[in-house]
Amino acid sequence: MVVKQTILHDKHVKLGAKMVDFAGWHMPVQYISIVDEHNTVRNGVGLFDVSHMGEVFISGKDSLEFLQRIVPQDISKLEYEKAVYCQLPNENGGVLDDLIIYKLGINYYLIICNASGVEGDVNWMAINAKGFDVKIDNQSHNYSLLAVQGPKADELLRTMGLDTVQDSFTIKSAKILDRKMYVSRTGYTGEDGYELLVENKYAEELWDNILEYGKPFGIKPIGLGARDTLRLEAALPLYGNDLDMDTTPVEAGLSWSLPRDKKEDYNGKSVIMDQLANGGKKKIIGIKMLDKNIARHEYEVYFNGEKAGHITSGGISPVLGCNIAMAYVKNIKEICTGSIVQVMIREKLHDAEVIKRPFINKRNKVRN
Amino acid sequence: MSITEKILCTKTHEYILKNDDDTYTIGLTDYAVEQLGDIVFLELPEIGTTFSKGDSFAAVESVKAASEIYMPISGEIIDVNTALVETPETLNEDVYEKGWLVKIKSTGDSSEQDDLLEYEDYKEEVE
């Protein structure tokens, strides 16, 4: 398989980034230091190239009915220029991908999905579009996505001429340095920030300008390594680690995103509604290691001497100064906040305490 | 003579340095540490343990990943850099003076060193 490159690929290489293959793309994992990049986003502002992600536009007179069919969320309640976090379940309630749906107009929606998911999502949508008057337009190859994240993100974009007033989870067609683009106040870091969806031909100039205008704010380019540690602290799921086809949104701890009163039927509804009432087969927990060991993806988790589950994502928390992880365990009430579980690391069990997710306080409130 | 002229390296990125008292110091190469990125965890063996060439005797973790560290030659652990376990990030600055891992008394034959590489050859091999 040919490894794809974003429009900004050569800029990353020139900046000295360490490049890795991620979901079929050659992406920067770090420029200098993951920990430094992490702290830059928590305390200032960082710039991410996330152009590998997918953009799919939905239009046609049955757009709403179609979206209602494919996600558990109630898209009829999604207002113009607002965004909602969604999952794409199969008939069994298992998650095929997680995505954000934006309402751009009447019968006009944008879906941003994972790089690994685009192709499968579009196929799945095409199958589900039968009988609906809807157009599924995969524009991933024509758009670049730049994320500007951190407490200083808003101030920085103001200096670049952004003049919209935007709450968290809103999108507007706006101008930055007189260039039109979609400006979304969303992100994957647990911080305030924006994601800028721009036509490929303007991506390089936008990248350079943000780094230039960002200098007084101490901006740095941020790789996928810090993106992972940032989203882990915020306990945001990563598809493939914390979410997969054998896991429902309820089991993934995403019940907050699931409406109980949506009238329309959708894929997996009976399983999801049943689990909302009675719980899933497994549940996701957050843990804090009680020693210096690091729990990583797929390590086994034990409770009372028995295997109880496995780690889905784990690593360091630069903000908390300890090591944290998320895990799926048997859905038993004995495993709850404050419980001690063990993680098998290099053939030895290490204690960890179950703690609340997200691991850090909500910081992504809009700071105008 | 710079330190890199005195060490021998493995393809799995460990080095050995022969000391004046015929013991050996073992560490990770600077290239290995650069590839790992921010080092956040180190696990070292206890003094008195013996290992054969190729055995995993220690573990290092960066933010990104966990890696095993293998014995370049057979030996008994006679000293451990315990200070480094407390501040594993020191490895990102220096892998020789402050960042050595263990000292060993060799228990194998000198032919065990035949497949070890001089630093320059090692660099050529891995880069």
Side-chain angles (χ1 to χ4, degrees):
Chain A
M1 193 179 77
V2 180
V3 179
K4 289 183 267 192
Q5 301 184 350
T6 73
I7 297 293
L8 300 165
H9 176 270
D10 294 357
K11 299 216 174 270
H12 305 314
V13 173
K14 262 191 203 143
L15 283 162
K18 192 164 288 168
M19 305 295 288
V20 295
D21 290 350
F22 177 83
W25 293 77
H26 201 225
M27 298 296 288
V29 65
Q30 69 174 66
Y31 295 86
I32 297 188
S33 147
I34 293 176
V35 175
D36 181 62
E37 288 165 31
H38 181 107
N39 292 329
T40 298
V41 174
R42 286 275 176 257
N43 303 318
V45 57
L47 175 61
F48 303 72
D49 175 18
V50 286
S51 305
H52 59 310
M53 296 192 74
E55 292 83 22
V56 181
F57 289 84
I58 304 294
S59 58
K61 75 172 175 47
D62 295 337
S63 295
L64 176 61
E65 291 73 16
F66 167 69
L67 292 173
Q68 290 288 58
R69 172 76 216 171
I70 62 168
V71 300
Q73 286 69 32
D74 193 348
I75 305 303
S76 72
K77 290 184 178 155
L78 182 63
E79 292 169 35
Y80 174 58
E81 293 187 330
K82 293 232 162 118
V84 60
Y85 171 73
C86 299
Q87 306 86 32
L88 198 63
N90 60 23
E91 292 92 338
N92 306 319
V95 180
L96 298 169
D97 201 2
D98 64 339
L99 23 98
I100 292 184
I101 298 182
Y102 300 84
K103 184 167 182 176
L104 300 179
I106 296 165
N107 290 326
Y108 192 36
Y109 296 87
L110 163 66
I111 295 178
I112 296 195
C113 62
N114 287 296
S116 58
V118 194
E119 216 182 301
D121 293 1
V122 170
N123 288 339
W124 177 253
M125 286 184 222
I127 294 166
N128 281 273
K130 242 183 192 166
F132 291 111
D133 181 356
V134 67
K135 185 179 167 201
I136 300 157
D137 183 16
N138 181 5
Q139 283 290 324
S140 304
H141 53 291
N142 286 329
Y143 280 93
S144 293
L145 188 64
L146 275 60
V148 184
Q149 301 278 302
K152 293 180 183 164
D154 183 63
E155 208 187 331
L156 163 59
L157 293 185
R158 299 288 157 204
T159 68
M160 298 180 72
L162 181 68
D163 62 358
T164 54
V165 177
Q166 288 188 238
D167 282 330
S168 183
F169 272 76
T170 61
I171 188 166
K172 287 190 190 258
S173 176
K175 278 183 176 172
I176 288 175
L177 296 177
D178 287 327
R179 212 55 106 181
K180 225 173 138 188
M181 62 192 75
Y182 283 113
V183 175
S184 167
R185 202 157 194 174
T186 46
Y188 191 51
T189 57
E191 288 296 327
D192 182 22
Y194 290 86
E195 289 173 300
L196 311 175
L197 186 64
V198 64
E199 285 175 68
N200 279 343
K201 60 183 170 189
Y202 302 131
E204 289 177 277
E205 132 194 322
L206 181 63
W207 173 270
D208 290 342
N209 280 329
I210 293 171
L211 288 181
E212 187 59 34
Y213 278 76
K215 270 184 192 160
F217 299 93
I219 199 168
K220 286 178 189 167
I222 313 294
L224 293 183
R227 187 169 163 84
D228 191 47
T229 54
L230 287 159
R231 69 93 196 169
L232 177 62
E233 276 187 339
L236 298 168
L238 170 64
Y239 194 84
N241 276 33
D242 314 296
L243 282 176
D244 56 40
M245 274 204 297
D246 301 319
T247 304
T248 69
V250 178
E251 292 170 328
L254 301 172
S255 297
W256 60 268
S257 73
L258 301 166
R260 269 75 172 168
D261 58 354
K262 178 171 162 177
K263 289 186 196 77
E264 291 85 346
D265 193 19
Y266 57 83
N267 297 322
K269 186 174 186 183
S270 60
V271 176
I272 288 171
M273 292 310 287
D274 176 67
Q275 290 195 352
L276 276 173
N278 306 310
K281 289 182 208 130
K282 58 185 178 183
K283 64 178 175 184
I284 198 160
I285 55 167
I287 61 168
K288 172 176 112 174
M289 297 304 297
L290 296 179
D291 61 21
K292 289 185 169 182
N293 278 271
I294 301 172
R296 295 194 187 266
H297 182 56
E298 291 187 337
Y299 285 7
E300 292 178 345
V301 176
Y302 287 75
F303 180 68
N304 279 346
E306 279 177 39
K307 197 185 160 205
H310 66 277
I311 301 290
T312 55
S313 293
I316 60 156
S317 166
V319 168
L320 297 178
C322 64
N323 298 326
I324 55 174
M326 294 195 282
Y328 279 116
V329 293
K330 286 187 279 196
N331 190 7
I332 52 172
K333 64 179 189 310
E334 288 77 13
I335 305 178
C336 56
T337 304
S339 301
I340 301 297
V341 296
Q342 284 82 34
V343 184
M344 185 70 87
I345 303 173
R346 288 181 286 274
E347 290 162 21
K348 278 187 206 132
L349 290 173
H350 296 267
D351 282 347
E353 184 186 338
V354 180
I355 60 170
K356 285 204 166 74
R357 295 171 306 121
F359 300 101
I360 55 162
N361 291 330
K362 208 172 162 74
R363 303 158 65 113
N364 56 338
K365 53 177 186 258
V366 171
R367 309 176 198 207
N368 281 323
Chain B
M1 205 159 134
S2 80
I3 197 147
T4 53
E5 289 169 52
K6 292 189 268 183
I7 61 172
L8 290 172
C9 304
T10 65
K11 286 177 191 170
T12 50
H13 314 293
E14 297 84 10
Y15 72 79
I16 58 167
L17 172 70
K18 193 172 185 183
N19 301 309
D20 297 337
D21 57 358
D22 281 346
T23 65
Y24 290 88
T25 299
I26 299 178
L28 283 170
T29 66
D30 51 359
Y31 175 82
V33 166
E34 197 194 308
Q35 290 304 307
L36 286 166
D38 296 319
I39 309 273
V40 290
F41 177 84
L42 182 66
E43 188 175 86
L44 295 176
E46 284 179 25
I47 290 174
T49 329
T50 57
F51 294 95
S52 300
K53 177 181 172 75
D55 284 355
S56 161
F57 73 97
V60 63
E61 298 204 30
S62 68
V63 176
K64 281 177 295 188
S67 314
E68 310 255 342
I69 309 174
Y70 303 98
M71 286 292 268
I73 55 173
S74 304
E76 180 190 341
I77 308 291
I78 55 166
D79 198 4
V80 173
N81 190 353
T82 47
L84 195 62
V85 175
E86 292 306 311
T87 56
E89 63 275 13
T90 307
L91 271 168
N92 289 109
E93 296 151 28
D94 166 35
V95 294
Y96 304 113
E97 304 281 322
K98 282 186 256 161
W100 60 275
L101 301 177
V102 296
K103 289 183 180 158
I104 64 160
K105 193 170 79 190
S106 167
T107 54
D109 181 295
S110 64
S111 67
E112 280 192 348
Q113 296 182 27
D114 290 352
D115 63 346
L116 302 185
L117 302 167
E118 303 223 349
Y119 183 75
E120 287 308 316
D121 297 335
Y122 158 78
K123 288 278 273 195
E124 213 162 278
E125 182 92 16
V126 295
E127 279 178 356

